[in-house]
Amino acid sequence: MRPALTEAAVTPEIAAEHGLTADEYQRVLEIMGRVPTLTELGIFSVMWSEHCSYKSSKVWLTTLPTTGAQVICGPGENAGVVDFGDGDAIIFKMESHNHPSFIEPYQGAATGVGGILRDVFTMGARPIANMNALRFGSPDHAKTRHLVSGVVSGIGGYGNCVGVPTVGGETNFHESYNGNILVNAMTVGVAKADRIFYSAAAGIGNPVVYVGSKTGRDGIHGATMASAEFSEDSEEKRPTVQVGDPFTEKLLIEACLELMDTDAIVAIQDMGAAGLTSSSVEMAGKGGLGIELVLDHVPMRETGMSPYEIMLSESQERMLIILKPGREEIARKIFEKWELDFAVIGHLTDTGRLVLKMHGQVWADMPIAPISNRAPVYERPWEPTPPQPEVDEGVWDGWNLSLEETLVKLVSGPDQASKRWIWEQYDSLVGGDTRFMSGQAAAAVVRLPNQKKAVAITTDCTPRYVKADPVRGGAQAVAEAYRNLSAVGALPLAVTDNLNFGNPEKPRIMGQIVGAIQGMGEACRALDFPVVSGNVSLYNETNGEAILPTPAIGAVGSLPDAMLAVGIAFKNEGDTILVVGETKGHIGQSLFLREILGREEGPPPPVDLKAERRNGEFVRALVLDGLVTASHDVSDGGLLVAVAEMAMAGGVGAHITGLDGAHPKVLFGEDQARYVLAVRPDKAEAVQARAREAGVPVTVLGTTRGTALTGRGGEAISIERLRKANEAWLPAYMTAGVE
Amino acid sequence: MKAAVIVFPGSNRERDAVAALETVSGVKPYEVWHRDTELPQVDLIVVPGGFSYGDYLRSGAMAAHSPIMREVKARADKGVRVLGVCNGFQIITEAGLLPGALRRNAGLKFICKQVALRVENTDSDFTAKYRKGQIVRYPVAHGDGNYWADADTIKRLEDQGQVAFRYVAADGGDDPLGNPNGSAAAIAGIFNEKKTVLGLMPHPEDAVETLHGNTDGRPMFQGLVDALQ
């Protein structure tokens, strides 16, 4: 029986409700040559949303370097692909799920993980590691505890079940995220370089196949929601948040990888943001073809769904596949084995049009090419961020804590405190290939299945730097990623960026976006560290207040042998502690300034990309030559915090002789391009000689020994006391919420 | 030693189990799909960890009724060694191969970390290579690892030497802080009466090579290989 189904006639008001501007709607009318149907309008609105079209950032994103000998596939596909040698490829990407995670933290974060996993296995990779970069509001804010709890269980609930280890990331707190948290999830997978799957459809008449979960009414207009500011009524948007099922995702991974072992697939893409709409439009568009879908054949979870709802649903765990002719039965058998839905829902045509039929009626008939090539692109006005004045020397008068109390406070502050409470909820070990989680080493290190070699993974961004100077902050985020990879001994290969900003229609915010991209571009070029994938999340504002600009950088590097990687923990007593790189004592925007003196001011530290590269290459070579027993980059909190973290991780202290009489800015300044290394004492001279040869500044800081940080003056800071303070903050904070 | 690893929809540590068996025995085990009804001739059956059927209904409850489990039970009755790890422990408990049940962790959270265990009984092929009372470290990674059985059953397990592993503090002491999930009597793993079936929540297969940080799980597989040559 055919249900009666009619659609409302489209008016300019309905177009506006769909988030289209008057100009954009005018453009729709021109493309269509008539008033669009509601389904057609819905398709335009999601495809032209900020989330799907990158209309505010596109002109700037195209300035980023995206090529290099190591790049197999740069931006534009589901994820980036780099050459990993021996016929292997690493496929990776980071993506935000900010808006949904604020509204419904468990499902928002869970489906964020699910979405990024699909982006990676869609291209033929088995996912081998997940990371995530999280930013929450002030710990004092009423919602923060609930959001931390929900996001962490969501990430764990999904990642643990699909059996991909979650090996680290970063978690920060700042009041600017009170109304807009950031959940940036990254997946790294491994594939054969000659078995990469792309999304461009080909072959007129080829079947279009739908696999995975059934389509429901969840997530309709998620992409549109993610393209607007929040206001007080955002809670009412809960129905736009998708619901995830990691069990189905696990089956989908196995079924897709099994199908990929056959020769049945022409093209494949996951149904992520904007679901069936973006997958069908993008696949056909890239192939220059048309596509005709019979929506009656779409597996549905609910009855009475309209074409509009089917096309805009963001139900999870679904993929769209173009098969070679006659391969339907091979594919069907595989998906039936894994107990997943499988349906042929249409075919490719030579018309260049998207045609949607249901109940024998046509609900959309629209040209595909203009949806992308006539999509709005905005060169939004922007203003550069004014430079910050240097920090006044008088700030030091406000420092009234002892060295010990200062260090305790730094390592126990929300940003620096141990995140054990979080990462113990993640299965970091499944697969049996995890060498280091991030935290145990400057970057996570995961071995490739059945091989010796390993991928090193990091996520980095220091938003307070970016806010003070977007160009420098953007460069710093890339440089820190490069440094973290080098510190474990890995060769940095490529970057994925996740750009989180406020409302781009404000010139001040647009200036942050432009500046950060410029800085990132400079750093990526100088470090031969191209951007191969990325994601942009704008409108992270609530009631007009924007988040700190947060261009999160995810990056991967290669190690010839997982066992060559070095962690941060001091391992032996009697090792010589060296500082690589020059310490000038830059205190502007430092953690010390914020946590100890309560001031967020000054310019961020300068980034010398030549020094970054030279020092990184030097450290990497030392690690690979087996000369280093512990290695850590120097970042938040400066030199003394880096040493304290190495001591806490290894349970071995340090006698520090290289800082006698030093100004505190030397201890806590955040100069870039620096590392702390421990080397066996009989190797210290050789290492210093190599440094002189390479023109790398290296100084001796002291020796590992005992159970405290000690100095020549007889002072002693107990490692146990630091560790207790470092471990205590987060569990105490989270339990305080339980009434 | 020939071994089979059973794969259910949602299993995710089968790869770890296969790697551990292959590393120690030098022989690649069979991987058997849950819907199969026959098992190859093997000396050891491993029911691996994961989230079979997404933990829907109850951890392990649906997998316990998979077609292959009838065959696993028949082989177990004949004395073929069966090792159930994590979700595998939940499955063989649901299937009635071992007594008791695994409930939600007392802390209500999934927990992944290295734990210290005391080997309580070395009179089995699984534990023969350990010393009685030896403290070993394996990782745990579970949300439902809180072992429960009624008082009579616990007493019987204790009296008959069926407690294989017990959670202890890092220094080996009986400290409740060493018990990560609230298990009764700090039980981490149990045998059947004949000591031919072992179920445990911690993962010996993820403590086999240097990369894992410790190799305390290796003697379990070595013991099986030596006994079942």
Side-chain angles (χ1 to χ4, degrees):
Chain A
M1 197 178 68
R2 186 173 130 190
L5 188 64
T6 52
E7 282 187 343
V10 171
T11 62
E13 292 71 37
I14 290 182
E17 280 167 24
H18 278 72
L20 291 173
T21 65
D23 285 351
E24 287 169 356
Y25 181 56
Q26 189 53 42
R27 202 181 287 210
V28 170
L29 294 177
E30 284 165 23
I31 290 169
M32 295 302 297
R34 59 171 164 82
V35 173
T37 66
L38 187 65
T39 301
E40 290 165 344
L41 179 76
I43 290 169
F44 275 108
S45 83
V46 291
M47 292 306 294
W48 288 3
S49 69
E50 188 67 55
H51 188 84
C52 291
S53 74
Y54 298 92
K55 58 190 169 190
S56 299
S57 54
K58 206 172 204 168
V59 292
W60 296 101
L61 291 174
T62 52
T63 66
L64 289 168
T66 58
T67 54
Q70 69 273 47
V71 178
I72 294 176
C73 175
E77 277 292 335
N78 286 296
V81 186
V82 291
D83 190 338
F84 216 67
D86 317 309
D88 296 315
I90 289 288
I91 302 185
F92 70 106
K93 189 181 179 187
M94 179 154 52
E95 195 167 77
S96 61
H97 229 213
N98 303 336
H99 295 77
S101 299
F102 182 79
I103 294 172
E104 212 299 283
Y106 184 96
Q107 290 297 344
T111 54
V113 173
I116 193 63
L117 280 164
R118 281 193 300 284
D119 277 337
V120 166
F121 73 75
T122 294
M123 296 195 71
R126 175 170 287 281
I128 59 169
N130 282 333
M131 300 268 282
N132 47 76
L134 310 178
R135 262 105 196 165
F136 296 103
S138 163
D140 302 328
H141 189 264
K143 277 198 140 174
T144 300
R145 201 175 272 113
H146 156 74
L147 291 169
V148 172
S149 173
V151 164
V152 169
S153 24
I155 290 171
Y158 208 99
N160 298 345
C161 182
V162 295
V164 177
T166 301
V167 295
E170 48 184 346
T171 306
N172 294 144
F173 297 85
H174 190 274
E175 60 184 5
S176 77
Y177 305 107
N178 281 353
N180 296 82
I181 62 170
L182 303 184
V183 174
N184 296 171
M186 175 173 172
T187 293
V188 178
V190 60
K192 286 288 160 212
D194 59 356
R195 297 288 291 165
I196 310 286
F197 291 83
Y198 296 98
S199 57
I204 294 157
N206 277 352
V208 177
V209 165
Y210 170 119
V211 299
S213 289
K214 294 186 196 320
T215 295
R217 288 195 170 91
D218 49 331
I220 291 174
H221 274 301
T224 313
M225 172 187 75
S227 305
E229 284 184 39
F230 275 169
S231 57
E232 268 112 13
D233 65 355
S234 296
E235 312 275 312
E236 292 166 20
K237 295 187 171 160
R238 194 165 287 127
T240 57
V241 177
Q242 314 86 329
V243 177
D245 176 6
F247 172 58
T248 301
E249 179 101 339
K250 169 69 173 160
L251 303 182
L252 198 55
I253 294 175
E254 299 305 331
C256 286
L257 292 178
E258 197 170 321
L259 181 63
M260 285 164 174
D261 270 343
T262 72
D263 69 343
I265 299 176
V266 175
I268 177 165
Q269 177 155 345
D270 80 298
M271 296 189 220
L276 191 51
T277 292
S278 64
S279 51
S280 55
V281 168
E282 286 174 15
M283 291 178 86
K286 281 180 185 166
L289 296 175
I291 190 167
E292 184 175 317
L293 302 179
V294 181
L295 300 180
D296 310 74
H297 297 155
V298 170
M300 279 175 264
R301 199 166 62 213
E302 301 173 49
T303 53
M305 286 186 73
S306 67
Y308 176 95
E309 290 171 324
I310 294 167
M311 291 307 288
L312 297 190
S313 162
E314 291 192 4
S315 289
Q316 299 289 293
E317 294 94 23
R318 302 178 302 160
M319 312 281 270
L320 201 64
I321 306 176
I322 311 295
L323 289 179
K324 289 183 186 163
R327 301 295 201 283
E328 292 92 328
E329 283 317 300
I330 297 173
R332 184 190 301 277
K333 276 209 181 88
I334 291 172
F335 284 89
E336 279 174 359
K337 169 187 165 189
W338 291 99
E339 302 175 28
L340 293 166
D341 271 298
F342 175 98
V344 178
I345 63 167
H347 64 276
L348 299 177
T349 66
D350 62 357
T351 62
R353 298 181 77 82
L354 173 70
V355 176
L356 302 175
K357 293 181 177 168
M358 194 170 170
H359 310 319
Q361 214 175 317
V362 173
W363 296 88
D365 183 353
M366 56 205 291
I368 290 172
I371 299 177
S372 57
N373 65 23
R374 291 205 62 200
V377 175
Y378 296 124
E379 282 194 51
R380 297 198 186 275
W382 60 280
E383 48 190 58
T385 302
Q388 298 289 308
E390 291 292 337
V391 178
D392 187 81
E393 277 297 317
V395 295
W396 296 102
D397 300 340
W399 185 38
N400 50 19
L401 293 177
S402 70
L403 198 56
E404 174 165 4
E405 295 312 320
T406 302
L407 201 50
V408 166
K409 199 167 171 188
L410 282 176
V411 300
S412 63
D415 280 357
Q416 229 42 37
S418 166
K419 301 303 183 301
R420 178 185 301 276
W421 185 92
I422 293 175
W423 53 256
E424 280 190 348
Q425 295 186 54
Y426 302 151
D427 188 342
S428 54
L429 303 172
V430 59
D433 286 317
T434 304
R435 171 79 173 104
F436 289 123
M437 291 187 74
S438 70
Q440 297 175 314
V445 176
V446 179
R447 186 175 57 183
L448 270 56
N450 307 314
Q451 301 207 40
K452 260 166 74 173
K453 62 187 179 188
V455 58
I457 314 162
T458 184
T459 69
D460 293 288
C461 183
T462 314
R464 61 180 189 276
Y465 291 178
V466 188
K467 184 175 187 207
D469 182 339
V471 180
R472 207 178 261 188
Q476 191 277 340
V478 173
E480 188 173 343
Y482 180 89
R483 208 180 309 142
N484 280 323
L485 296 174
S486 300
V488 298
L491 176 68
L493 287 177
V495 161
T496 177
D497 59 0
N498 198 153
L499 308 179
N500 309 274
F501 291 88
N503 181 347
E505 294 162 41
K506 297 178 182 169
R508 191 175 53 81
I509 300 289
M510 197 61 218
Q512 294 175 341
I513 300 171
V514 172
I517 292 176
Q518 285 173 342
M520 287 164 49
E522 279 169 34
C524 289
R525 271 184 291 272
L527 300 171
D528 188 18
F529 206 21
V531 177
V532 295
S533 58
N535 166 248
V536 178
S537 169
L538 304 179
Y539 297 95
N540 290 289
E541 296 201 7
T542 296
N543 297 330
E545 289 292 315
I547 58 162
L548 290 180
T550 312
I553 298 295
V556 299
S558 64
L559 277 150
D561 182 342
M563 296 312 292
L564 288 175
V566 171
I568 65 167
F570 286 148
K571 276 191 175 158
N572 317 299
E573 298 225 4
D575 284 358
T576 304
I577 305 169
L578 301 172
V579 180
V580 176
E582 198 178 354
T583 301
K584 290 180 177 164
H586 182 96
I587 206 70
Q589 293 301 336
S590 64
L591 197 69
F592 175 89
L593 206 56
R594 192 185 77 188
E595 297 293 313
I596 305 298
L597 301 179
R599 305 167 79 131
E600 296 183 47
E601 59 188 52
V607 180
D608 177 345
L609 294 165
K610 283 207 179 78
E612 287 289 357
R613 183 157 188 158
R614 186 189 59 212
N615 299 358
E617 285 170 355
F618 173 71
V619 168
R620 190 182 318 134
L622 290 183
V623 172
L624 293 180
D625 287 345
L627 293 168
V628 178
T629 58
S631 170
H632 198 354
D633 72 307
V634 179
S635 58
D636 286 319
L639 205 48
L640 219 49
V641 166
V643 173
E645 287 175 349
M646 298 171 85
M648 288 189 286
V652 176
H655 185 58
I656 297 169
T657 52
L659 294 172
D660 288 354
H663 190 279
K665 68 186 183 186
V666 171
L667 311 183
F668 301 111
E670 296 183 1
D671 308 287
Q672 298 294 294
R674 292 184 303 159
Y675 301 78
V676 176
L677 305 179
V679 302
R680 297 301 294 158
D682 59 333
K683 298 288 196 300
E685 188 39 52
V687 167
Q688 284 174 283
R690 277 174 69 154
R692 281 191 293 274
E693 210 169 294
V696 173
V698 168
T699 51
V700 176
L701 190 64
T703 308
T704 58
R705 90 174 184 209
T707 54
L709 301 181
T710 56
R712 264 201 259 258
E715 60 275 45
I717 303 170
S718 152
I719 299 302
E720 197 47 36
R721 181 168 178 217
L722 289 175
R723 182 147 63 183
K724 278 196 176 131
N726 177 251
E727 292 285 353
W729 183 79
L730 189 52
Y733 173 68
M734 293 309 296
T735 11
V738 181
E739 299 295 326
Chain B
M1 179 185 73
K2 284 198 195 124
V5 177
I6 313 292
V7 182
F8 300 91
S11 293
N12 66 27
R13 261 186 169 80
E14 74 278 14
R15 234 170 13 101
D16 309 42
V18 166
L21 287 164
E22 197 175 355
T23 301
V24 179
S25 73
V27 183
K28 203 172 167 58
Y30 300 100
E31 288 182 58
V32 180
W33 183 236
H34 77 116
R35 230 185 272 161
D36 291 351
T37 48
E38 281 180 38
L39 271 168
Q41 281 308 314
V42 291
D43 312 299
L44 170 71
I45 299 165
V46 178
V47 186
F51 285 74
S52 58
Y53 290 97
D55 275 357
Y56 294 143
L57 184 58
R58 202 169 56 237
S59 306
M62 310 231 325
H65 295 283
S66 274
I68 196 67
M69 286 309 293
R70 198 170 311 149
E71 187 62 15
V72 171
K73 278 190 263 187
R75 294 291 178 90
D77 287 344
K78 288 183 190 148
V80 172
R81 306 299 187 266
V82 176
L83 172 63
V85 181
C86 197
N87 187 225
F89 185 17
Q90 294 159 349
I91 293 167
I92 62 175
T93 305
E94 286 283 343
L97 285 173
L98 293 170
L102 292 138
R103 305 190 300 179
R104 191 86 187 130
N105 290 350
L108 303 182
K109 290 185 183 61
F110 188 95
I111 186 145
C112 175
K113 65 176 188 179
Q114 299 286 335
V115 297
L117 303 167
R118 189 168 59 224
V119 183
E120 298 288 24
N121 186 344
T122 56
D123 187 18
S124 82
D125 295 341
F126 302 96
T127 51
K129 292 283 174 189
Y130 296 104
R131 279 176 291 104
K132 187 170 163 61
Q134 187 178 341
I135 306 302
V136 297
R137 289 169 68 80
Y138 300 163
V140 290
H142 60 246
D144 298 334
N146 182 354
Y147 183 75
W148 182 90
D150 60 55
D152 291 345
T153 305
I154 298 282
K155 183 170 186 319
R156 199 172 69 242
L157 290 173
E158 300 276 12
D159 291 349
Q160 299 181 357
Q162 285 177 252
V163 176
F165 296 94
R166 214 183 297 272
Y167 300 109
V168 290
D171 63 3
D174 283 304
D175 184 337
L177 287 176
N179 184 345
N181 50 32
S183 286
I187 286 171
I190 55 170
F191 298 118
N192 63 348
E193 282 178 33
K194 290 187 285 184
K195 320 283 187 299
T196 53
V197 175
L198 170 65
L200 77 170
M201 288 312 296
H203 292 278
E205 76 278 23
D206 284 332
V208 167
E209 31 167 345
T210 325
L211 178 130
H212 296 148
N214 84 66
T215 54
D216 286 357
R218 208 178 170 108
M220 178 182 292
F221 297 100
Q222 195 61 57
L224 289 162
V225 168
D226 288 0
L228 304 173
Q229 287 293 16

